[in-house]
Amino acid sequence: QLLNKLRVLGMNAVFDLRLQIVVGDELIIGIGTATAVYVAALPVPRGISITRNIEVKDREDEELVKIQTQLTNISRRNREELSETLNYAVENGILNMAPEATEEVNDN
């Protein structure tokens, strides 16, 4: 679930992950909270991809297809906005994606 949420948001890392597990008589609940971020040094996350292998038969199926389409569109839009932000940061010198030239050190 966490990885899918990261893909929808277009993020590739989490910090301050906190997990809480509650065990009841008939139910176990797990809750995870974290701060999602995009780290330029890490690979760009894949977009979310939802496939359906059964035909749409009723109104419930139509609603599920609608939700799937919405999730895919949100994921695509988040990735586009992230790309635009990164391009802006690189073009304006806020972020340098190229490795810095380093001086060679001679041991002589």
Side-chain angles (χ1 to χ4, degrees), residues 24-75:
D25 293 336
E26 298 180 21
L27 187 64
I28 298 175
I29 300 173
I31 302 169
T33 59
T35 301
V37 295
Y38 179 82
V39 179
L42 295 176
V44 176
R46 292 183 317 163
I48 195 164
S49 173
I50 302 172
T51 58
R52 184 174 176 86
N53 59 0
I54 57 174
E55 63 185 70
V56 177
K57 293 184 179 181
D58 56 16
R59 183 157 173 76
E60 182 182 14
D61 288 346
E62 290 173 0
E63 288 296 319
L64 288 174
V65 169
K66 182 179 175 182
I67 292 170
Q68 291 170 344
T69 303
Q70 288 173 338
L71 279 172
T72 302
N73 290 340
I74 289 169
S75 177

mmCIF file of all heavy atoms in Angstrom, residues 24-75:
data_model
loop_
_atom_site.group_PDB
_atom_site.id
_atom_site.type_symbol
_atom_site.label_atom_id
_atom_site.label_comp_id
_atom_site.label_asym_id
_atom_site.label_seq_id
_atom_site.Cartn_x
_atom_site.Cartn_y
_atom_site.Cartn_z
ATOM 1 N N GLY A 24 -6.922 -6.669 18.005
ATOM 2 C CA GLY A 24 -8.181 -6.819 18.724
ATOM 3 C C GLY A 24 -8.595 -8.277 18.763
ATOM 4 O O GLY A 24 -7.854 -9.168 18.335
ATOM 5 N N ASP A 25 -9.779 -8.539 19.282
ATOM 6 C CA ASP A 25 -10.270 -9.907 19.379
ATOM 7 C C ASP A 25 -10.519 -10.531 18.008
ATOM 8 O O ASP A 25 -10.256 -11.708 17.787
ATOM 9 C CB ASP A 25 -11.568 -9.955 20.194
ATOM 10 C CG ASP A 25 -11.341 -9.609 21.650
ATOM 11 O OD1 ASP A 25 -10.205 -9.780 22.118
ATOM 12 O OD2 ASP A 25 -12.312 -9.171 22.309
ATOM 13 N N GLU A 26 -11.037 -9.734 17.076
ATOM 14 C CA GLU A 26 -11.378 -10.254 15.751
ATOM 15 C C GLU A 26 -10.719 -9.502 14.601
ATOM 16 O O GLU A 26 -10.980 -9.795 13.444
ATOM 17 C CB GLU A 26 -12.896 -10.200 15.564
ATOM 18 C CG GLU A 26 -13.645 -11.047 16.563
ATOM 19 C CD GLU A 26 -15.146 -10.977 16.350
ATOM 20 O OE1 GLU A 26 -15.564 -10.619 15.240
ATOM 21 O OE2 GLU A 26 -15.880 -11.283 17.290
ATOM 22 N N LEU A 27 -9.862 -8.526 14.922
ATOM 23 C CA LEU A 27 -9.341 -7.660 13.880
ATOM 24 C C LEU A 27 -7.934 -7.186 14.229
ATOM 25 O O LEU A 27 -7.638 -6.907 15.395
ATOM 26 C CB LEU A 27 -10.277 -6.452 13.742
ATOM 27 C CG LEU A 27 -10.055 -5.473 12.622
ATOM 28 C CD1 LEU A 27 -10.264 -6.147 11.271
ATOM 29 C CD2 LEU A 27 -11.018 -4.297 12.763
ATOM 30 N N ILE A 28 -7.088 -7.128 13.241
ATOM 31 C CA ILE A 28 -5.756 -6.549 13.395
ATOM 32 C C ILE A 28 -5.691 -5.340 12.473
ATOM 33 O O ILE A 28 -5.997 -5.435 11.281
ATOM 34 C CB ILE A 28 -4.644 -7.550 13.024
ATOM 35 C CG1 ILE A 28 -4.679 -8.754 13.953
ATOM 36 C CG2 ILE A 28 -3.281 -6.871 13.077
ATOM 37 C CD1 ILE A 28 -3.692 -9.836 13.577
ATOM 38 N N ILE A 29 -5.283 -4.205 13.024
ATOM 39 C CA ILE A 29 -5.203 -2.976 12.239
ATOM 40 C C ILE A 29 -3.761 -2.486 12.232
ATOM 41 O O ILE A 29 -3.124 -2.401 13.283
ATOM 42 C CB ILE A 29 -6.120 -1.875 12.821
ATOM 43 C CG1 ILE A 29 -7.565 -2.343 12.826
ATOM 44 C CG2 ILE A 29 -5.967 -0.581 12.041
ATOM 45 C CD1 ILE A 29 -8.510 -1.397 13.524
ATOM 46 N N GLY A 30 -3.252 -2.184 11.060
ATOM 47 C CA GLY A 30 -1.928 -1.614 10.929
ATOM 48 C C GLY A 30 -2.019 -0.230 10.311
ATOM 49 O O GLY A 30 -2.701 -0.044 9.312
ATOM 50 N N ILE A 31 -1.366 0.731 10.949
ATOM 51 C CA ILE A 31 -1.374 2.099 10.454
ATOM 52 C C ILE A 31 0.065 2.551 10.283
ATOM 53 O O ILE A 31 0.883 2.415 11.187
ATOM 54 C CB ILE A 31 -2.095 3.045 11.446
ATOM 55 C CG1 ILE A 31 -3.525 2.582 11.686
ATOM 56 C CG2 ILE A 31 -2.063 4.486 10.945
ATOM 57 C CD1 ILE A 31 -4.211 3.289 12.824
ATOM 58 N N GLY A 32 0.366 3.073 9.113
ATOM 59 C CA GLY A 32 1.688 3.604 8.847
ATOM 60 C C GLY A 32 1.603 5.053 8.429
ATOM 61 O O GLY A 32 0.770 5.412 7.608
ATOM 62 N N THR A 33 2.438 5.893 9.025
ATOM 63 C CA THR A 33 2.499 7.299 8.630
ATOM 64 C C THR A 33 3.952 7.657 8.351
ATOM 65 O O THR A 33 4.868 7.127 8.985
ATOM 66 C CB THR A 33 1.941 8.234 9.724
ATOM 67 O OG1 THR A 33 2.688 8.050 10.916
ATOM 68 C CG2 THR A 33 0.472 7.961 9.992
ATOM 69 N N ALA A 34 4.156 8.533 7.385
ATOM 70 C CA ALA A 34 5.503 8.954 7.022
ATOM 71 C C ALA A 34 5.419 10.243 6.218
ATOM 72 O O ALA A 34 4.341 10.647 5.786
ATOM 73 C CB ALA A 34 6.202 7.874 6.200
ATOM 74 N N THR A 35 6.552 10.849 6.020
ATOM 75 C CA THR A 35 6.647 12.011 5.149
ATOM 76 C C THR A 35 7.223 11.539 3.817
ATOM 77 O O THR A 35 8.343 11.036 3.772
ATOM 78 C CB THR A 35 7.563 13.080 5.775
ATOM 79 O OG1 THR A 35 7.020 13.462 7.037
ATOM 80 C CG2 THR A 35 7.677 14.293 4.872
ATOM 81 N N ALA A 36 6.451 11.702 2.749
ATOM 82 C CA ALA A 36 6.900 11.295 1.416
ATOM 83 C C ALA A 36 7.620 12.467 0.755
ATOM 84 O O ALA A 36 7.173 13.612 0.850
ATOM 85 C CB ALA A 36 5.715 10.865 0.566
ATOM 86 N N VAL A 37 8.743 12.174 0.109
ATOM 87 C CA VAL A 37 9.520 13.202 -0.577
ATOM 88 C C VAL A 37 10.052 12.654 -1.893
ATOM 89 O O VAL A 37 10.097 11.442 -2.114
ATOM 90 C CB VAL A 37 10.706 13.696 0.285
ATOM 91 C CG1 VAL A 37 10.234 14.404 1.530
ATOM 92 C CG2 VAL A 37 11.639 12.568 0.637
ATOM 93 N N TYR A 38 10.454 13.569 -2.754
ATOM 94 C CA TYR A 38 11.156 13.185 -3.976
ATOM 95 C C TYR A 38 12.622 13.521 -3.776
ATOM 96 O O TYR A 38 12.966 14.671 -3.497
ATOM 97 C CB TYR A 38 10.609 13.920 -5.198
ATOM 98 C CG TYR A 38 11.358 13.531 -6.443
ATOM 99 C CD1 TYR A 38 11.035 12.368 -7.120
ATOM 100 C CD2 TYR A 38 12.422 14.286 -6.905
ATOM 101 C CE1 TYR A 38 11.742 11.970 -8.242
ATOM 102 C CE2 TYR A 38 13.136 13.904 -8.028
ATOM 103 C CZ TYR A 38 12.792 12.749 -8.681
ATOM 104 O OH TYR A 38 13.504 12.347 -9.790
ATOM 105 N N VAL A 39 13.475 12.521 -3.901
ATOM 106 C CA VAL A 39 14.920 12.701 -3.768
ATOM 107 C C VAL A 39 15.522 12.566 -5.155
ATOM 108 O O VAL A 39 15.422 11.503 -5.778
ATOM 109 C CB VAL A 39 15.523 11.661 -2.789
ATOM 110 C CG1 VAL A 39 17.030 11.838 -2.685
ATOM 111 C CG2 VAL A 39 14.869 11.771 -1.425
ATOM 112 N N ALA A 40 16.143 13.644 -5.644
ATOM 113 C CA ALA A 40 16.662 13.667 -7.006
ATOM 114 C C ALA A 40 17.743 12.615 -7.236
ATOM 115 O O ALA A 40 17.912 12.133 -8.355
ATOM 116 C CB ALA A 40 17.201 15.054 -7.333
ATOM 117 N N ALA A 41 18.468 12.241 -6.192
ATOM 118 C CA ALA A 41 19.549 11.264 -6.338
ATOM 119 C C ALA A 41 19.041 9.841 -6.504
ATOM 120 O O ALA A 41 19.795 8.957 -6.905
ATOM 121 C CB ALA A 41 20.477 11.336 -5.128
ATOM 122 N N LEU A 42 17.771 9.605 -6.215
ATOM 123 C CA LEU A 42 17.187 8.274 -6.361
ATOM 124 C C LEU A 42 16.473 8.150 -7.706
ATOM 125 O O LEU A 42 16.119 9.162 -8.311
ATOM 126 C CB LEU A 42 16.179 8.016 -5.226
ATOM 127 C CG LEU A 42 16.766 7.954 -3.818
ATOM 128 C CD1 LEU A 42 15.649 7.799 -2.798
ATOM 129 C CD2 LEU A 42 17.769 6.825 -3.699
ATOM 130 N N PRO A 43 16.241 6.922 -8.161
ATOM 131 C CA PRO A 43 15.537 6.750 -9.437
ATOM 132 C C PRO A 43 14.127 7.345 -9.395
ATOM 133 O O PRO A 43 13.481 7.374 -8.348
ATOM 134 C CB PRO A 43 15.463 5.225 -9.605
ATOM 135 C CG PRO A 43 16.505 4.668 -8.704
ATOM 136 C CD PRO A 43 16.667 5.649 -7.588
ATOM 137 N N VAL A 44 13.685 7.815 -10.544
ATOM 138 C CA VAL A 44 12.329 8.347 -10.666
ATOM 139 C C VAL A 44 11.345 7.193 -10.487
ATOM 140 O O VAL A 44 11.520 6.125 -11.076
ATOM 141 C CB VAL A 44 12.138 9.001 -12.057
ATOM 142 C CG1 VAL A 44 10.708 9.474 -12.245
ATOM 143 C CG2 VAL A 44 13.120 10.150 -12.240
ATOM 144 N N PRO A 45 10.336 7.377 -9.669
ATOM 145 C CA PRO A 45 9.385 6.282 -9.447
ATOM 146 C C PRO A 45 8.553 6.000 -10.694
ATOM 147 O O PRO A 45 8.260 6.904 -11.478
ATOM 148 C CB PRO A 45 8.501 6.796 -8.307
ATOM 149 C CG PRO A 45 8.607 8.264 -8.389
ATOM 150 C CD PRO A 45 9.974 8.566 -8.913
ATOM 151 N N ARG A 46 8.200 4.744 -10.858
ATOM 152 C CA ARG A 46 7.315 4.374 -11.965
ATOM 153 C C ARG A 46 5.926 4.925 -11.690
ATOM 154 O O ARG A 46 5.509 5.019 -10.544
ATOM 155 C CB ARG A 46 7.210 2.856 -12.087
ATOM 156 C CG ARG A 46 8.476 2.173 -12.518
ATOM 157 C CD ARG A 46 8.264 0.696 -12.678
ATOM 158 N NE ARG A 46 7.452 0.164 -11.556
ATOM 159 C CZ ARG A 46 6.842 -0.994 -11.589
ATOM 160 N NH1 ARG A 46 6.916 -1.754 -12.636
ATOM 161 N NH2 ARG A 46 6.146 -1.414 -10.550
ATOM 162 N N GLY A 47 5.222 5.246 -12.753
ATOM 163 C CA GLY A 47 3.840 5.660 -12.595
ATOM 164 C C GLY A 47 2.981 4.458 -12.264
ATOM 165 O O GLY A 47 3.366 3.311 -12.500
ATOM 166 N N ILE A 48 1.829 4.721 -11.715
ATOM 167 C CA ILE A 48 0.934 3.622 -11.353
ATOM 168 C C ILE A 48 0.253 3.097 -12.618
ATOM 169 O O ILE A 48 -0.074 3.860 -13.523
ATOM 170 C CB ILE A 48 -0.095 4.068 -10.301
ATOM 171 C CG1 ILE A 48 -0.759 2.860 -9.690
ATOM 172 C CG2 ILE A 48 -1.082 5.030 -10.857
ATOM 173 C CD1 ILE A 48 -1.495 3.156 -8.413
ATOM 174 N N SER A 49 0.092 1.806 -12.686
ATOM 175 C CA SER A 49 -0.553 1.177 -13.827
ATOM 176 C C SER A 49 -1.613 0.208 -13.316
ATOM 177 O O SER A 49 -1.304 -0.702 -12.549
ATOM 178 C CB SER A 49 0.488 0.427 -14.663
ATOM 179 O OG SER A 49 -0.139 -0.301 -15.669
ATOM 180 N N ILE A 50 -2.847 0.444 -13.721
ATOM 181 C CA ILE A 50 -3.947 -0.413 -13.288
ATOM 182 C C ILE A 50 -4.524 -1.100 -14.516
ATOM 183 O O ILE A 50 -4.907 -0.431 -15.475
ATOM 184 C CB ILE A 50 -5.040 0.404 -12.575
ATOM 185 C CG1 ILE A 50 -4.446 1.132 -11.376
ATOM 186 C CG2 ILE A 50 -6.192 -0.494 -12.154
ATOM 187 C CD1 ILE A 50 -5.387 2.109 -10.720
ATOM 188 N N THR A 51 -4.561 -2.405 -14.487
ATOM 189 C CA THR A 51 -5.116 -3.155 -15.616
ATOM 190 C C THR A 51 -6.333 -3.940 -15.151
ATOM 191 O O THR A 51 -6.451 -4.302 -13.985
ATOM 192 C CB THR A 51 -4.083 -4.118 -16.208
ATOM 193 O OG1 THR A 51 -3.647 -5.008 -15.185
ATOM 194 C CG2 THR A 51 -2.894 -3.372 -16.770
ATOM 195 N N ARG A 52 -7.196 -4.199 -16.079
ATOM 196 C CA ARG A 52 -8.428 -4.939 -15.781
ATOM 197 C C ARG A 52 -8.524 -6.077 -16.778
ATOM 198 O O ARG A 52 -8.421 -5.874 -17.981
ATOM 199 C CB ARG A 52 -9.606 -3.980 -15.915
ATOM 200 C CG ARG A 52 -10.922 -4.579 -15.537
ATOM 201 C CD ARG A 52 -12.001 -3.487 -15.567
ATOM 202 N NE ARG A 52 -13.300 -4.038 -15.305
ATOM 203 C CZ ARG A 52 -13.801 -4.226 -14.096
ATOM 204 N NH1 ARG A 52 -13.093 -3.883 -13.054
ATOM 205 N NH2 ARG A 52 -14.990 -4.742 -13.939
ATOM 206 N N ASN A 53 -8.740 -7.290 -16.269
ATOM 207 C CA ASN A 53 -8.804 -8.433 -17.165
ATOM 208 C C ASN A 53 -10.203 -9.036 -17.272
ATOM 209 O O ASN A 53 -10.376 -10.098 -17.839
ATOM 210 C CB ASN A 53 -7.782 -9.501 -16.747
ATOM 211 C CG ASN A 53 -8.024 -9.988 -15.335
ATOM 212 O OD1 ASN A 53 -8.942 -9.549 -14.670
ATOM 213 N ND2 ASN A 53 -7.174 -10.887 -14.880
ATOM 214 N N ILE A 54 -11.194 -8.359 -16.702
ATOM 215 C CA ILE A 54 -12.579 -8.814 -16.842
ATOM 216 C C ILE A 54 -13.418 -7.684 -17.424
ATOM 217 O O ILE A 54 -13.087 -6.515 -17.284
ATOM 218 C CB ILE A 54 -13.177 -9.295 -15.493
ATOM 219 C CG1 ILE A 54 -13.106 -8.183 -14.452
ATOM 220 C CG2 ILE A 54 -12.488 -10.540 -14.998
ATOM 221 C CD1 ILE A 54 -13.788 -8.521 -13.148
ATOM 222 N N GLU A 55 -14.481 -8.046 -18.089
ATOM 223 C CA GLU A 55 -15.304 -7.034 -18.734
ATOM 224 C C GLU A 55 -16.189 -6.300 -17.730
ATOM 225 O O GLU A 55 -16.472 -6.793 -16.653
ATOM 226 C CB GLU A 55 -16.168 -7.659 -19.827
ATOM 227 C CG GLU A 55 -17.170 -8.676 -19.300
ATOM 228 C CD GLU A 55 -17.920 -9.373 -20.411
ATOM 229 O OE1 GLU A 55 -17.299 -10.169 -21.133
ATOM 230 O OE2 GLU A 55 -19.131 -9.093 -20.528
ATOM 231 N N VAL A 56 -16.594 -5.095 -18.114
ATOM 232 C CA VAL A 56 -17.479 -4.287 -17.292
ATOM 233 C C VAL A 56 -18.897 -4.802 -17.490
ATOM 234 O O VAL A 56 -19.409 -4.822 -18.609
ATOM 235 C CB VAL A 56 -17.372 -2.798 -17.691
ATOM 236 C CG1 VAL A 56 -18.347 -1.963 -16.900
ATOM 237 C CG2 VAL A 56 -15.949 -2.304 -17.520
ATOM 238 N N LYS A 57 -19.533 -5.216 -16.380
ATOM 239 C CA LYS A 57 -20.854 -5.836 -16.488
ATOM 240 C C LYS A 57 -21.971 -5.025 -15.854
ATOM 241 O O LYS A 57 -23.109 -5.127 -16.259
ATOM 242 C CB LYS A 57 -20.839 -7.225 -15.849
ATOM 243 C CG LYS A 57 -19.977 -8.214 -16.575
ATOM 244 C CD LYS A 57 -20.086 -9.575 -15.944
ATOM 245 C CE LYS A 57 -19.224 -10.575 -16.716
ATOM 246 N NZ LYS A 57 -19.329 -11.905 -16.158
ATOM 247 N N ASP A 58 -21.651 -4.255 -14.823
ATOM 248 C CA ASP A 58 -22.719 -3.537 -14.126
ATOM 249 C C ASP A 58 -22.229 -2.172 -13.657
ATOM 250 O O ASP A 58 -21.104 -1.765 -13.932
ATOM 251 C CB ASP A 58 -23.251 -4.359 -12.954
ATOM 252 C CG ASP A 58 -22.175 -4.765 -11.958
ATOM 253 O OD1 ASP A 58 -21.078 -4.182 -11.983
ATOM 254 O OD2 ASP A 58 -22.432 -5.660 -11.141
ATOM 255 N N ARG A 59 -23.082 -1.470 -12.929
ATOM 256 C CA ARG A 59 -22.769 -0.117 -12.448
ATOM 257 C C ARG A 59 -21.570 -0.112 -11.501
ATOM 258 O O ARG A 59 -20.755 0.799 -11.531
ATOM 259 C CB ARG A 59 -23.993 0.476 -11.766
ATOM 260 C CG ARG A 59 -23.796 1.892 -11.288
ATOM 261 C CD ARG A 59 -25.131 2.588 -11.146
ATOM 262 N NE ARG A 59 -25.013 3.885 -10.540
ATOM 263 C CZ ARG A 59 -24.563 4.968 -11.153
ATOM 264 N NH1 ARG A 59 -24.168 4.895 -12.404
ATOM 265 N NH2 ARG A 59 -24.495 6.122 -10.530
ATOM 266 N N GLU A 60 -21.466 -1.142 -10.672
ATOM 267 C CA GLU A 60 -20.329 -1.230 -9.753
ATOM 268 C C GLU A 60 -19.012 -1.316 -10.532
ATOM 269 O O GLU A 60 -18.041 -0.655 -10.188
ATOM 270 C CB GLU A 60 -20.477 -2.448 -8.837
ATOM 271 C CG GLU A 60 -19.351 -2.575 -7.833
ATOM 272 C CD GLU A 60 -19.480 -3.807 -6.958
ATOM 273 O OE1 GLU A 60 -20.275 -4.706 -7.285
ATOM 274 O OE2 GLU A 60 -18.769 -3.863 -5.949
ATOM 275 N N ASP A 61 -18.989 -2.110 -11.594
ATOM 276 C CA ASP A 61 -17.796 -2.205 -12.436
ATOM 277 C C ASP A 61 -17.481 -0.861 -13.089
ATOM 278 O O ASP A 61 -16.319 -0.475 -13.194
ATOM 279 C CB ASP A 61 -17.988 -3.268 -13.520
ATOM 280 C CG ASP A 61 -17.966 -4.687 -12.975
ATOM 281 O OD1 ASP A 61 -17.537 -4.873 -11.816
ATOM 282 O OD2 ASP A 61 -18.379 -5.605 -13.706
ATOM 283 N N GLU A 62 -18.500 -0.154 -13.529
ATOM 284 C CA GLU A 62 -18.299 1.164 -14.139
ATOM 285 C C GLU A 62 -17.678 2.137 -13.137
ATOM 286 O O GLU A 62 -16.785 2.910 -13.484
ATOM 287 C CB GLU A 62 -19.630 1.717 -14.660
ATOM 288 C CG GLU A 62 -20.168 0.985 -15.860
ATOM 289 C CD GLU A 62 -21.572 1.435 -16.255
ATOM 290 O OE1 GLU A 62 -22.131 2.325 -15.577
ATOM 291 O OE2 GLU A 62 -22.105 0.874 -17.226
ATOM 292 N N GLU A 63 -18.141 2.082 -11.888
ATOM 293 C CA GLU A 63 -17.580 2.951 -10.843
ATOM 294 C C GLU A 63 -16.121 2.592 -10.571
ATOM 295 O O GLU A 63 -15.292 3.479 -10.372
ATOM 296 C CB GLU A 63 -18.410 2.846 -9.553
ATOM 297 C CG GLU A 63 -19.763 3.500 -9.640
ATOM 298 C CD GLU A 63 -19.679 5.001 -9.856
ATOM 299 O OE1 GLU A 63 -18.821 5.659 -9.225
ATOM 300 O OE2 GLU A 63 -20.474 5.519 -10.671
ATOM 301 N N LEU A 64 -15.798 1.299 -10.555
ATOM 302 C CA LEU A 64 -14.415 0.875 -10.343
ATOM 303 C C LEU A 64 -13.510 1.343 -11.486
ATOM 304 O O LEU A 64 -12.384 1.792 -11.247
ATOM 305 C CB LEU A 64 -14.341 -0.648 -10.194
ATOM 306 C CG LEU A 64 -14.890 -1.215 -8.889
ATOM 307 C CD1 LEU A 64 -14.901 -2.731 -8.929
ATOM 308 C CD2 LEU A 64 -14.096 -0.714 -7.699
ATOM 309 N N VAL A 65 -14.001 1.247 -12.707
ATOM 310 C CA VAL A 65 -13.220 1.721 -13.856
ATOM 311 C C VAL A 65 -12.997 3.228 -13.746
ATOM 312 O O VAL A 65 -11.913 3.730 -14.030
ATOM 313 C CB VAL A 65 -13.916 1.352 -15.191
ATOM 314 C CG1 VAL A 65 -13.273 2.066 -16.360
ATOM 315 C CG2 VAL A 65 -13.890 -0.149 -15.397
ATOM 316 N N LYS A 66 -14.010 3.951 -13.302
ATOM 317 C CA LYS A 66 -13.893 5.401 -13.119
ATOM 318 C C LYS A 66 -12.824 5.726 -12.076
ATOM 319 O O LYS A 66 -11.986 6.609 -12.289
ATOM 320 C CB LYS A 66 -15.249 5.973 -12.696
ATOM 321 C CG LYS A 66 -15.259 7.460 -12.517
ATOM 322 C CD LYS A 66 -16.654 7.938 -12.125
ATOM 323 C CE LYS A 66 -16.662 9.425 -11.825
ATOM 324 N NZ LYS A 66 -17.979 9.886 -11.393
ATOM 325 N N ILE A 67 -12.841 5.004 -10.955
ATOM 326 C CA ILE A 67 -11.837 5.218 -9.909
ATOM 327 C C ILE A 67 -10.441 4.875 -10.421
ATOM 328 O O ILE A 67 -9.473 5.598 -10.156
ATOM 329 C CB ILE A 67 -12.193 4.392 -8.656
ATOM 330 C CG1 ILE A 67 -13.463 4.947 -8.000
ATOM 331 C CG2 ILE A 67 -11.039 4.377 -7.653
ATOM 332 C CD1 ILE A 67 -14.027 4.058 -6.913
ATOM 333 N N GLN A 68 -10.326 3.786 -11.163
ATOM 334 C CA GLN A 68 -9.028 3.397 -11.730
ATOM 335 C C GLN A 68 -8.503 4.478 -12.662
ATOM 336 O O GLN A 68 -7.311 4.826 -12.624
ATOM 337 C CB GLN A 68 -9.160 2.074 -12.481
ATOM 338 C CG GLN A 68 -9.403 0.893 -11.577
ATOM 339 C CD GLN A 68 -9.761 -0.372 -12.349
ATOM 340 O OE1 GLN A 68 -10.115 -0.325 -13.520
ATOM 341 N NE2 GLN A 68 -9.695 -1.509 -11.676
ATOM 342 N N THR A 69 -9.371 5.029 -13.484
ATOM 343 C CA THR A 69 -8.973 6.089 -14.403
ATOM 344 C C THR A 69 -8.535 7.337 -13.639
ATOM 345 O O THR A 69 -7.537 7.970 -13.985
ATOM 346 C CB THR A 69 -10.133 6.428 -15.364
ATOM 347 O OG1 THR A 69 -10.507 5.243 -16.053
ATOM 348 C CG2 THR A 69 -9.743 7.492 -16.364
ATOM 349 N N GLN A 70 -9.275 7.678 -12.589
ATOM 350 C CA GLN A 70 -8.919 8.839 -11.773
ATOM 351 C C GLN A 70 -7.539 8.662 -11.130
ATOM 352 O O GLN A 70 -6.722 9.578 -11.133
ATOM 353 C CB GLN A 70 -9.974 9.086 -10.697
ATOM 354 C CG GLN A 70 -11.277 9.620 -11.229
ATOM 355 C CD GLN A 70 -12.360 9.692 -10.153
ATOM 356 O OE1 GLN A 70 -12.290 9.002 -9.136
ATOM 357 N NE2 GLN A 70 -13.368 10.518 -10.397
ATOM 358 N N LEU A 71 -7.281 7.476 -10.587
ATOM 359 C CA LEU A 71 -5.979 7.213 -9.968
ATOM 360 C C LEU A 71 -4.848 7.310 -10.986
ATOM 361 O O LEU A 71 -3.794 7.887 -10.713
ATOM 362 C CB LEU A 71 -5.963 5.830 -9.319
ATOM 363 C CG LEU A 71 -6.598 5.727 -7.942
ATOM 364 C CD1 LEU A 71 -6.680 4.281 -7.502
ATOM 365 C CD2 LEU A 71 -5.822 6.543 -6.933
ATOM 366 N N THR A 72 -5.065 6.750 -12.151
ATOM 367 C CA THR A 72 -4.048 6.817 -13.204
ATOM 368 C C THR A 72 -3.797 8.266 -13.616
ATOM 369 O O THR A 72 -2.648 8.679 -13.786
ATOM 370 C CB THR A 72 -4.486 5.982 -14.419
ATOM 371 O OG1 THR A 72 -4.714 4.626 -13.990
ATOM 372 C CG2 THR A 72 -3.435 5.983 -15.497
ATOM 373 N N ASN A 73 -4.851 9.053 -13.754
ATOM 374 C CA ASN A 73 -4.707 10.465 -14.131
ATOM 375 C C ASN A 73 -3.997 11.276 -13.049
ATOM 376 O O ASN A 73 -3.160 12.127 -13.358
ATOM 377 C CB ASN A 73 -6.072 11.078 -14.445
ATOM 378 C CG ASN A 73 -6.658 10.550 -15.727
ATOM 379 O OD1 ASN A 73 -5.958 10.019 -16.584
ATOM 380 N ND2 ASN A 73 -7.972 10.663 -15.864
ATOM 381 N N ILE A 74 -4.326 11.017 -11.782
ATOM 382 C CA ILE A 74 -3.657 11.715 -10.683
ATOM 383 C C ILE A 74 -2.174 11.389 -10.684
ATOM 384 O O ILE A 74 -1.326 12.276 -10.545
ATOM 385 C CB ILE A 74 -4.299 11.339 -9.328
ATOM 386 C CG1 ILE A 74 -5.692 11.952 -9.217
ATOM 387 C CG2 ILE A 74 -3.424 11.783 -8.159
ATOM 388 C CD1 ILE A 74 -6.501 11.424 -8.048
ATOM 389 N N SER A 75 -1.836 10.114 -10.865
ATOM 390 C CA SER A 75 -0.440 9.694 -10.902
ATOM 391 C C SER A 75 0.301 10.367 -12.047
ATOM 392 O O SER A 75 1.400 10.897 -11.868
ATOM 393 C CB SER A 75 -0.357 8.173 -11.045
ATOM 394 O OG SER A 75 0.970 7.750 -11.155
#
